[in-house]
Amino acid sequence: MAKQLSTRVAIVGSGPAGLLLGQLLFRAGIDNLILERRPLSRVLARIRAGVLEESTVRVLEEAGVAERLHREGLVHDGIEISVCGERRRIDFATLTGKHVVIYGQTEVTKDLVAAREAAGLPILDEARDVLPVDLESDRPKVLFRRHGEEFELACEIVAGCDGFHGVCRSRIPAERLKTFERVYPFGWLGILAHARPVSDELVYAYSERGFALFSMRSPTVSRLYVQCDPNDPVEAWPDSRVYEELAARVGSDLAARLERAPSVEKSVTQMRSFVAEPMRFGRLVLAGDAAHIVPPTGAKGLNLAAADVAVLARALIAFLREGDARLLDRYSDVALARVWKAERFSWWMTSLLHKFPEGDPFRDRLQRAELEYLFQSEAMQKVLAENYTGLPLALS
Ligand code: APR
Ligand code: PHB
């Protein structure tokens, strides 16, 4: 006999989307419970991107978890684009009046978990065989197993915040779900190293040898990426090779500043664009990577998850407090309108800055023309700046 539990919102997944939703609901007085497949220690150790839009910072403020971010986050007023060694600064402040904040997703996750623990709210980690059921009724349930025991969690809403490989999206019948996907013929090999960043701002580099990105977590920690074959094992990339490629893909002045400190983390990411529509099925709602993936070039993954959650939290609060379903009924359309614009931008920035392996000469010439145009045209720089710093967050 399964043990019975109940809550108002059952949140599946304790990534940034699930944790942030839990916190916003908690602050509105709405009881919620998070189920997470992995041990929490693993969730807290994951290294992901680290660029926050101003609107993401505002949502984190609303959730009451922005104090350390304001203290330790690095405010960046621009980025640099390097094309075959020649650099151009994209000045966000002048072009848009906006900035971004460099603060690792790992840190965002830690702050959210600390806030949840301080509030005494549970995260049931190591939850196995999580299965949302009865989603078309108004009494959905989530079945799961934990430490050998079976549970049945009764709720009013199931929030699928369980990432791209989660279970929730698969609970929507195939005929009710449309998916869109593009898999790119390259990946990113990323390292983290205790080394001074080569520049004060992020440098995105196009070169004939492929893309490279010089990012950072702090004034003493660099996060560095090189375009690689998506099937490359990390063993194919000893630090010496990573640093040689980084140096070869950027101008000699920055190459000379590259501190070749040993990597403390190394991983390969496949580049993918993906959207599932709609983001709701009965009492199941999807948010974050469970519904959409972007390639990391535009740094939009975490920002999109935060935007989804900002819209969703308002919709759920109206629904669960006042029985008003209007915002909930619009959630998928409102979220997807923003998602598709970020998909477009991430696809564009990825296509602009990577070397495509198949060798289509016409495509290559267009790409070079577009890069030249970006360097010459303030209008084009403004388009990049306004998308990178984040389009306005419409909540309904
Ligand atoms: N049951 C319970 N939990 C699950 C299940 C499952 N069946 N499947 C996945 N999960 C958990 C994962 O272990 C993970 O902790 O759901 C969480 C999903 O978190 P993320 O993948 O971080 O997704 P999301 O919260 O949407 O974050 C979006 O973070 O991961 C980045 O690239 C992503 O930047 C984007 C942002
Ligand atoms: C990172 O710092 O990890 C990072 C920054 C910008 C990106 C992607 C990743 O576009």
Side-chain angles (χ1 to χ4, degrees), residues 82-98:
S82 162
V83 176
C84 302
E86 192 191 334
R87 285 205 311 283
R88 189 67 92 248
R89 179 162 189 261
I90 309 291
D91 185 329
F92 299 154
T94 311
L95 292 163
T96 65
K98 291 168 81 177

Side-chain angles (χ1 to χ4, degrees), residues 285-335:
V285 283
L286 302 178
D289 278 17
H292 42 73
I293 296 282
V294 284
T297 325
K300 289 290 165 231
L302 174 58
N303 292 298
L304 269 187
D308 285 354
V309 166
V311 177
L312 180 58
R314 269 167 190 72
L316 292 181
I317 292 166
F319 181 64
L320 295 170
R321 270 203 197 144
E322 284 128 42
D324 181 349
R326 282 175 299 178
L327 288 178
L328 188 56
D329 289 342
R330 286 185 44 70
Y331 165 64
S332 178
D333 287 347
V334 171

Side-chain angles (χ1 to χ4, degrees), residues 48-51 102 188 202 204 213 215-217 223 225 296-299 388:
R48 299 270 173 82
V51 178
I102 308 302
W188 279 13
L202 271 57
Y204 287 82
L213 170 59
S215 182
M216 65 190 75
R217 288 290 173 276
R223 179 73 171 151
Y225 299 95
T297 325
Y388 194 95

Side-chain angles (χ1 to χ4, degrees), residues 80-88 198-199 203-214 243-260 375:
E80 290 195 284
I81 306 278
S82 162
V83 176
C84 302
E86 192 191 334
R87 285 205 311 283
R88 189 67 92 248
V198 293
S199 172
V203 182
Y204 287 82
Y206 167 86
S207 89
E208 287 299 327
R209 301 179 70 90
F211 172 81
L213 170 59
F214 299 76
Y243 282 117
E244 266 161 45
E245 282 302 319
L246 285 164
R249 295 177 189 197
V250 77
S252 50
D253 55 337
L254 291 189
R257 302 188 58 180
L258 196 57
E259 255 181 48
R260 301 182 183 217
F375 270 33

Side-chain angles (χ1 to χ4, degrees), residues 12-19 35-38 43 46 48-49 105 127-130 160-168 287-294 300-303 305-306:
V12 184
S14 70
L19 289 165
L35 300 176
E36 164 61 47
R37 180 172 54 183
R38 313 182 73 174
V43 173
R46 280 198 297 239
R48 299 270 173 82
Q105 181 171 316
R128 309 260 182 255
D129 305 330
V130 171
C161 301
D162 50 348
F164 183 63
H165 300 287
V167 63
C168 290
D289 278 17
H292 42 73
I293 296 282
V294 284
K300 289 290 165 231
L302 174 58
N303 292 298

Side-chain angles (χ1 to χ4, degrees), residues 125-143:
D125 67 349
E126 302 188 52
R128 309 260 182 255
D129 305 330
V130 171
L131 188 69
V133 297
D134 301 339
L135 297 168
E136 285 189 288
S137 80
D138 54 13
R139 288 265 142 218
K141 288 196 278 293
V142 183
L143 314 180

Side-chain angles (χ1 to χ4, degrees), residues 16-259:
L19 289 165
L20 185 55
L21 179 64
Q23 197 60 18
L24 291 171
L25 292 176
F26 159 69
R27 285 169 75 94
I30 294 173
D31 182 48
N32 62 84
L33 202 152
I34 298 184
L35 300 176
E36 164 61 47
R37 180 172 54 183
R38 313 182 73 174
L40 197 55
S41 55
R42 293 275 292 280
V43 173
L44 287 167
R46 280 198 297 239
I47 296 182
R48 299 270 173 82
V51 178
L52 307 183
E53 296 173 7
E54 286 177 34
S55 61
T56 301
V57 172
R58 278 198 296 276
V59 181
L60 294 169
E61 282 167 353
E62 208 182 306
V65 292
E67 197 191 305
R68 192 162 70 95
L69 150 67
H70 284 308
R71 220 171 39 238
E72 296 177 16
L74 308 174
V75 173
H76 280 197
D77 285 324
I79 53 168
E80 290 195 284
I81 306 278
S82 162
V83 176
C84 302
E86 192 191 334
R87 285 205 311 283
R88 189 67 92 248
R89 179 162 189 261
I90 309 291
D91 185 329
F92 299 154
T94 311
L95 292 163
T96 65
K98 291 168 81 177
H99 60 254
V100 292
V101 178
I102 308 302
Y103 189 70
Q105 181 171 316
T106 313
E107 306 311 312
V108 172
T109 309
K110 278 186 203 158
D111 295 344
L112 283 162
V113 167
R116 193 167 176 92
E117 279 173 358
L121 296 173
I123 298 174
L124 300 185
D125 67 349
E126 302 188 52
R128 309 260 182 255
D129 305 330
V130 171
L131 188 69
V133 297
D134 301 339
L135 297 168
E136 285 189 288
S137 80
D138 54 13
R139 288 265 142 218
K141 288 196 278 293
V142 183
L143 314 180
F144 64 100
R145 219 185 279 279
R146 188 170 188 255
H147 303 163
E149 270 186 297
E150 282 180 30
F151 293 88
E152 194 176 292
L153 171 62
C155 59
E156 290 164 69
I157 292 280
V158 179
C161 301
D162 50 348
F164 183 63
H165 300 287
V167 63
C168 290
R169 192 177 65 247
S170 70
R171 302 300 294 159
I172 305 180
E175 68 277 11
R176 300 277 289 273
L177 194 73
K178 210 169 154 71
T179 60
F180 304 83
E181 185 165 34
R182 175 136 316 176
V183 179
Y184 300 87
F186 37 73
W188 279 13
L189 181 287
I191 63 166
L192 192 71
H194 292 279
R196 182 172 42 84
V198 293
S199 172
D200 291 341
E201 293 178 334
L202 271 57
V203 182
Y204 287 82
Y206 167 86
S207 89
E208 287 299 327
R209 301 179 70 90
F211 172 81
L213 170 59
F214 299 76
S215 182
M216 65 190 75
R217 288 290 173 276
S218 75
T220 55
V221 178
S222 292
R223 179 73 171 151
L224 303 159
Y225 299 95
V226 285
Q227 177 182 343
C228 65
D229 186 297
N231 301 313
D232 277 353
V234 287
E235 295 73 34
W237 286 91
D239 288 356
S240 55
R241 182 177 175 207
V242 179
Y243 282 117
E244 266 161 45
E245 282 302 319
L246 285 164
R249 295 177 189 197
V250 77
S252 50
D253 55 337
L254 291 189
R257 302 188 58 180
L258 196 57
E259 255 181 48

